[in-house]
């Protein structure tokens, strides 16, 4: 039986392990912490085909510059001399045009649509108790100006990607979602989106993997590879870890925002920046939304889960900063208070941050490493790791097994950064 070692136990690594095990591989997952303990733990839990457009859109640079001049903006860059960050920002700025936006959208669309279907099948087949709900997603606007401006984006989603939304103006929005304050301009409703509780998903998926014989090693630090050298096609024979050497036929790097720190081991430095997001988890308020939503002008996500309630988002480029900044959490509360009748509830059960693995083109890398012929990369999923995980795991397992890929893998090539 062929053996695979997955380095990284977030939702992407777990998805890769699942699909390889489905194909008969013997699989080991290692993680420097605990499975699902990183960015897969406290995010908003959206499974969102509607999130097809990249961050690099026309006008994004103007928005970023204006945000940096505003105190307590949802978008923040910590000033520092970091040439990799400024190189990333320069390349991001160059992609803020319609042609690149649509190309990135096409790449994301394939993974998002596939994952939406695969989640439905997975949760039903494996009976995952992860609070899966298919209520759609609301893009909520306080102002008429913001609502009308987004109408142009909605037209692109409808015409280019086949993702039309239902527009709800004023009173129609209040009737549709009574938890929102009266007087808001309106919203766009995408009915194919879904949501779940991420930590429950990871617990349940781990249960399934363990029952299928997948070996899980936590608090196991990856330290490098051993293998042949001096040839054009090097081969990794084992992963060197804090638990000893792990031999395998194939290795997968699924380490999210940590991936750039492994450049010497994977043979390339991927242009991934850690984009820090925050969340607050609490009990459901007395007037709890039925439908998850994005409060667009505040950049706040609201997730009504069956067992709780979460506010999340913001984007902070501060490197690998481990502080949990109270003022960033306060932005979530303020945004919710501006739109919801009952915006939050005590006691707070968890305050959290996670590093999203941000590529400048918003497209992940799902490809073979340029250094070893049996090392694969699955990283750089930006803010959509949860939404793209099942399709990523399936595509990577198809590439490893030599099967016909169910989606075109070319947009996710590592060579596009060269």
């Amino acid at each position: 039986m062929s053996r695979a070692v997955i380095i990284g136990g977030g939702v992407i690594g777990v998805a890769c392990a699942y699909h390889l095990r489905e194909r008969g591989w013997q699989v080991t997952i290692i993680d420097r912490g605990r499975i699902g303990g990183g960015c897969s733990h406290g995010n908003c839990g959206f499974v969102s085909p509607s999130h097809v457009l990249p961050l690099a859109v026309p006008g994004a640079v103007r928005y970023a510059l204006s945000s940096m001049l505003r105190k307590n903006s949802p978008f923040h860059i910590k000033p520092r001399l970091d040439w990799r960050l400024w190189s990333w920002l320069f390349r991001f700025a160059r992609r803020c045009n319609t042609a690149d936006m649509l190309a990135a959208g096409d790449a994301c669309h394939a993974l998002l649509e596939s994952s939406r279907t695969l989640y439905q099948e997975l949760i039903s087949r494996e009976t995952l108790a992860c609070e899966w709900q298919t209520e759609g997603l609301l893009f909520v606007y306080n102002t008429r100006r913001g609502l009308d401006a987004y109408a142009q984006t909605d037209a692109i989603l409808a015409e280019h990607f086949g993702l039309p939304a239902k527009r709800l103006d004023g009173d129609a929005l209040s009737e549709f979602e009574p938890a929102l304050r009266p007087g808001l301009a309106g919203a766009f409703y995408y009915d194919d989106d879904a949501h779940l509780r991420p930590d429950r998903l990871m617990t349940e998926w781990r249960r399934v993997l363990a029952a299928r014989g997948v070996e899980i090693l936590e608090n196991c630090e990856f330290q490098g590879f051993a293998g042949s050298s001096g040839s054009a096609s090097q081969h990794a024979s084992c992963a060197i870890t804090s638990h000893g050497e792990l031999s395998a036929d194939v290795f997968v790097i699924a380490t999210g925002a940590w991936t750039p720190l492994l450049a010497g081991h994977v043979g390339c430095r991927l242009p991934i920046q850690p984009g820090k997001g925050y969340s607050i988890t609490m009990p459901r308020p007395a007037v709890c939304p039925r439908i998850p939503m994005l409060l667009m002008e505040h950049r706040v996500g609201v997730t009504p889960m069956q067992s709780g309630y979460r506010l999340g988002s913001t984007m902070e480029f501060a490197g690998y900063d481990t502080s949990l900044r109270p003022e960033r959490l306060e932005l979530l509360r303020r945004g919710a208070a501006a739109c919801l009748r009952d915006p939050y509830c005590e006691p707070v059960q968890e305050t959290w941050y996670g590093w999203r693995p941000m590529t400048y083109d918003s497209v992940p890398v799902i490809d073979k490493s340029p250094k070893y012929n049996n090392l694969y990369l699955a990283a750089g999923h930006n803010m959509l790791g949860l939404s793209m995980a099942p399709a990523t795991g399936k595509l990577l397992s198809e590439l490893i097994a030599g099967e016909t890929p169910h989606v075109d893998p070319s947009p996710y090539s590592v060579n596009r950064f060269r």
Side-chain angles (χ1 to χ4, degrees):
M1 182 184 294
S2 298
R3 181 178 178 83
V5 170
I6 314 291
I7 301 160
V11 70
I12 299 298
V14 166
C16 292
Y18 177 81
H19 283 281
L20 282 169
R21 189 71 191 97
E22 286 285 284
R23 283 161 174 75
W25 285 67
Q26 188 176 2
V27 180
T28 297
I29 306 175
I30 70 170
D31 195 275
R32 65 197 305 271
R34 61 182 179 83
I35 299 299
C39 205
S40 301
H41 173 76
N43 62 69
C44 285
F46 297 156
V47 177
S48 299
S50 64
H51 283 42
V52 65
L53 292 183
L55 289 184
V57 299
V61 173
R62 183 173 64 253
Y63 168 77
L65 292 174
S66 65
S67 295
M68 291 173 65
L69 298 175
R70 297 199 312 269
K71 185 179 180 180
N72 294 327
S73 167
F75 177 79
H76 176 70
I77 298 176
K78 181 180 180 180
R80 62 192 188 279
L81 293 175
D82 181 344
W83 69 267
R84 292 191 180 92
L85 171 62
W86 293 105
S87 173
W88 188 100
L89 291 170
F90 174 73
R91 295 181 181 187
F92 175 90
R94 292 185 62 185
R95 294 190 63 86
C96 292
N97 60 78
T98 300
D100 285 333
M101 175 188 74
L102 293 177
D106 287 336
C108 293
H109 183 55
L111 293 176
L112 290 169
E113 287 293 317
S114 172
S115 285
R116 176 63 177 82
T117 300
L118 289 170
Y119 263 125
Q120 194 79 50
E121 296 171 355
L122 168 71
I123 290 166
S124 175
R125 180 172 61 250
E126 305 294 355
T127 320
L128 302 185
C130 60
E131 304 185 20
W132 172 255
Q133 295 175 268
T134 55
E135 299 289 349
L137 186 69
L138 278 169
F139 287 44
V140 178
Y141 283 90
N142 293 67
T143 67
R144 174 66 58 178
R145 179 181 179 183
L147 185 71
D148 290 342
Y150 184 79
Q152 301 175 36
T153 300
D154 177 64
I156 293 173
L157 266 63
E159 295 166 11
H160 189 87
F161 300 103
L163 295 169
K166 178 181 181 181
R167 178 166 174 163
L168 300 162
D169 287 86
D171 292 342
L173 175 59
S174 297
E175 293 174 10
F176 189 73
E177 179 47 86
L180 286 164
R181 286 182 176 274
L184 300 180
F188 286 85
Y189 174 59
Y190 292 91
D191 64 0
D192 193 41
D193 284 20
H195 70 287
L196 49 75
R197 180 154 185 157
D199 53 337
R200 301 283 172 88
L201 171 70
M202 297 305 293
T203 298
E204 286 289 281
W205 219 341
R206 175 182 178 147
R207 172 185 61 78
V208 170
L209 292 177
R212 302 279 174 82
V214 172
E215 182 182 24
I216 297 171
L217 301 178
E218 297 181 304
N219 301 310
C220 180
E221 186 174 354
F222 169 72
Q223 298 172 342
F225 292 108
S228 62
S229 60
S231 66
S233 180
Q234 299 184 56
H235 187 84
S237 58
C238 69
I240 304 168
T241 79
S242 57
H243 284 36
E245 295 185 353
L246 299 173
S247 300
D249 301 288
V250 162
F251 300 88
V252 177
I253 296 284
T255 47
W258 293 100
T259 307
L261 305 183
L262 305 179
H265 302 302
V266 304
C268 61
R269 183 174 291 280
L270 298 180
I272 292 173
Q273 284 290 321
K276 193 175 184 182
Y278 293 78
S279 74
I280 308 170
T281 305
M282 62 202 84
R284 291 166 61 92
V287 184
C288 188
R290 175 177 63 89
I291 301 168
M293 60 189 70
L294 289 171
L295 311 178
M296 298 294 285
E297 286 139 328
H298 305 278
R299 299 297 195 269
V300 173
V302 180
T303 310
M305 301 175 290
Q306 292 171 352
S307 62
Y309 175 77
R310 180 167 291 162
L311 305 176
S313 197
T314 79
M315 178 65 73
E316 186 177 21
F317 287 100
Y320 296 95
D321 173 54
T322 59
S323 62
L324 191 62
R325 296 173 58 196
E327 66 271 25
R328 305 300 287 174
L329 296 169
E330 183 61 24
L331 287 177
L332 302 179
R333 294 187 179 94
R334 289 180 189 172
C339 299
L340 290 162
R341 293 177 183 269
D342 200 355
Y344 36 80
C345 186
E346 298 292 342
V348 170
Q349 297 167 339
E350 182 180 35
T351 54
W352 174 90
Y353 76 85
W355 292 313
R356 309 176 184 105
M358 307 297 294
T359 57
Y360 60 77
D361 62 0
S362 296
V363 178
V365 176
I366 308 169
D367 197 6
K368 188 178 289 188
S369 156
K371 185 172 184 178
Y372 295 107
N373 60 16
N374 62 334
L375 173 62
Y376 289 80
L377 308 173
H381 288 74
N382 295 264
M383 302 170 72
L384 297 172
L386 183 75
S387 286
M388 293 180 171
T392 296
K394 183 176 181 178
L395 174 58
L396 191 84
S397 66
E398 291 164 342
L399 295 175
I400 290 172
E403 300 174 7
T404 301
H406 77 290
V407 298
D408 178 10
S410 60
Y412 322 112
S413 169
V414 69
N415 292 324
R416 72 182 192 270
F417 298 127
R418 294 187 174 185

